[in-house]
Amino acid sequence: MSEKEINRKVVILGSGPAGLTAAIYASRAQLEPLVIDGPQPGGQLTITTDVENYPGFSKGIMGPEMMNEFRAQAERFGTEILNVWIDKVDLSERPFKLYGKESAESEEISTIIKAETLIISTGASAKWLGVPGEEPVPEGLGGNGVSACATCDGFFFRGKPVVIVGGGDTAMEEAMFLTRFASKVTLMHRRDSFRASKIMQERVFNNEKIEIMWNTGIREILGTKEEGVTGVKIFNTQSNEESLFPTQGVFVAIGHKPNTDLFKGVLEMDETGYLKTEGRTMKTNVEGVFACGDAQDSYYRQAVTAAGTGCMAAIDAERFLVEHGEAVKNTETNW
Ligand code: NDP
């Protein structure tokens, strides 16, 4: 089979808030960007229910609906969105090459995309426990009482008891956040000490609404479609003794993994795989390659901050093309 070849000035890999904001900016700068959908078109917000903290939506908006709006806005200005599975990339020289397959399972490369600039917005994925009951609805209770984002979903647990799992800074921060809404927060950790920073641990220890259960693992999340979560089957990680613990919400805070494996050994990353960007810009260590959103941000990880860095990456890409004589300088009002 002969491969289809596509040539673009700006290629954006990933279609969450960062990638689609970059696309809105790049298309309004008449750069005709190509957005490549990842395995989860629309990104992590497509697995969230109501989004109530994104400015501009005073009544809130459903995550998938918001991402449809982002998409329509990008397409309105001429963004093309392509659904291919990128199998490998060659960033050794410009134009950069991205090799796409029909799906992850396909054997053959079907599309070669040549990009003068590349914006990486591949996001991050929450790590999950991998226990029964955790799967997204309709199969499990994910999104119906089980969440990996307290900032997004904590509000829905007003007056209810919740469990949070993890022992790092995210678990501490989210446990504290959840005390604003929940009647009680039980923090379950698989060991007898936290890896979180001392100051965060102190805050948790001093908060009367948080109860800590050491050496505790979750074996199963229990509940029904109608009632949501009703409890968890827990076990003692030392004795393996099992018991049932009633709760109405389970927050998993055991870390995130940036989706950056494609770029290992080519782009500079920190020790956990987040792409490094230069100073206040979105430039990576390869000229003409930019990174934005959760693929380069382990700290804020919000839809609105991802969108902000997507805008920055598009402006950086446009300026790079202008400097290289490959685009006409944009006027401020065009953005
Ligand atoms: P971490 O990797 O630091 O912590 C993950 C926690 O989850 C660990 O306690 C780990 O246990 C536990 N865990 C991992 N896998 C499992 C599993 N399968 N079952 C049960 N428990 C599990 O991730 P974080 O998201 O907490 O933090 C990521 C980075 O972001 C860190 O560098 C952190 O400092 C930073 N951060 C900083 C914040 C701040 O400064 N305000 C806020 C949030 C994050 P164990 O300890 O046994 O390995």
Side-chain angles (χ1 to χ4, degrees), residues 127-129 165-171 173 189-191 193-195 197 200 253-256 298-299 301:
K127 290 190 203 159
W128 293 97
L129 294 166
V165 192
D169 280 327
T170 303
E173 198 169 68
H189 182 42
R190 63 184 178 183
R191 293 188 294 122
S193 63
F194 291 135
R195 72 168 59 224
S197 54
M200 302 282 271
I254 60 171
H256 278 76
S298 62
Y299 192 73
R301 297 197 308 242

Side-chain angles (χ1 to χ4, degrees), residues 294-311:
D294 286 9
Q296 61 85 49
D297 171 25
S298 62
Y299 192 73
Y300 297 104
R301 297 197 308 242
Q302 299 300 301
V304 66
T305 52
T309 57
C311 157

Side-chain angles (χ1 to χ4, degrees), residues 129-294:
L129 294 166
V131 297
E134 191 187 45
E135 310 85 358
V137 283
E139 288 80 22
L141 296 158
N144 186 17
V146 181
S147 167
C149 179
T151 329
C152 323
D153 298 328
F155 191 68
F156 304 110
F157 293 84
R158 270 168 299 173
K160 296 178 181 175
V162 299
V163 159
I164 175 156
V165 192
D169 280 327
T170 303
M172 304 300 121
E173 198 169 68
E174 301 215 329
M176 296 290 295
F177 185 79
L178 287 167
T179 61
R180 296 190 204 172
F181 313 102
S183 56
K184 186 176 178 194
V185 176
T186 305
L187 176 53
M188 296 183 176
H189 182 42
R190 63 184 178 183
R191 293 188 294 122
D192 63 359
S193 63
F194 291 135
R195 72 168 59 224
S197 54
K198 287 280 171 280
I199 185 161
M200 302 282 271
Q201 293 194 31
E202 281 307 315
R203 285 184 196 154
V204 164
F205 293 145
N206 291 332
N207 192 313
E208 284 176 0
K209 265 178 118 178
I210 303 176
E211 186 197 9
I212 299 163
M213 287 176 71
W214 301 109
N215 298 319
T216 304
I218 291 186
R219 200 147 269 162
E220 188 175 347
I221 299 170
L222 309 164
T224 61
K225 202 171 160 188
E226 294 72 31
E227 285 180 285
V229 169
T230 54
V232 280
K233 187 190 276 183
I234 57 175
F235 68 100
N236 183 298
T237 54
Q238 306 288 302
S239 65
N240 210 19
E241 193 185 330
E242 281 190 352
S243 55
L244 293 182
F245 187 88
T247 189
Q248 286 180 266
V250 176
F251 286 84
V252 179
I254 60 171
H256 278 76
K257 186 185 174 307
N259 303 319
T260 55
D261 287 354
L262 260 182
F263 307 102
K264 267 191 185 144
V266 182
L267 295 181
E268 281 177 10
M269 312 179 174
D270 70 11
E271 61 286 351
T272 45
Y274 286 92
L275 295 172
K276 286 190 179 174
T277 48
E278 198 183 290
R280 293 177 63 199
T281 74
M282 295 292 112
K283 296 176 186 174
T284 68
N285 59 305
V286 172
E287 275 216 335
V289 179
F290 307 88
C292 53
D294 286 9

Side-chain angles (χ1 to χ4, degrees), residues 19-84:
L20 292 175
T21 302
I24 291 165
Y25 274 75
S27 53
R28 283 177 55 78
Q30 300 186 340
L31 294 170
E32 298 171 344
L34 176 74
V35 171
I36 302 172
D37 268 333
Q40 189 173 40
Q44 294 182 73
L45 280 184
T46 59
I47 53 164
T48 316
T49 50
D50 298 69
V51 178
E52 297 186 332
N53 55 7
Y54 200 92
F57 298 96
S58 62
K59 297 179 185 67
I61 183 167
M62 298 301 274
E65 190 188 339
M66 182 160 115
M67 292 323 298
N68 284 342
E69 286 295 323
F70 268 66
R71 220 174 168 83
Q73 194 174 352
E75 285 176 328
R76 179 180 153 203
F77 298 107
T79 297
E80 187 189 341
I81 302 180
L82 185 70
N83 197 306
V84 288

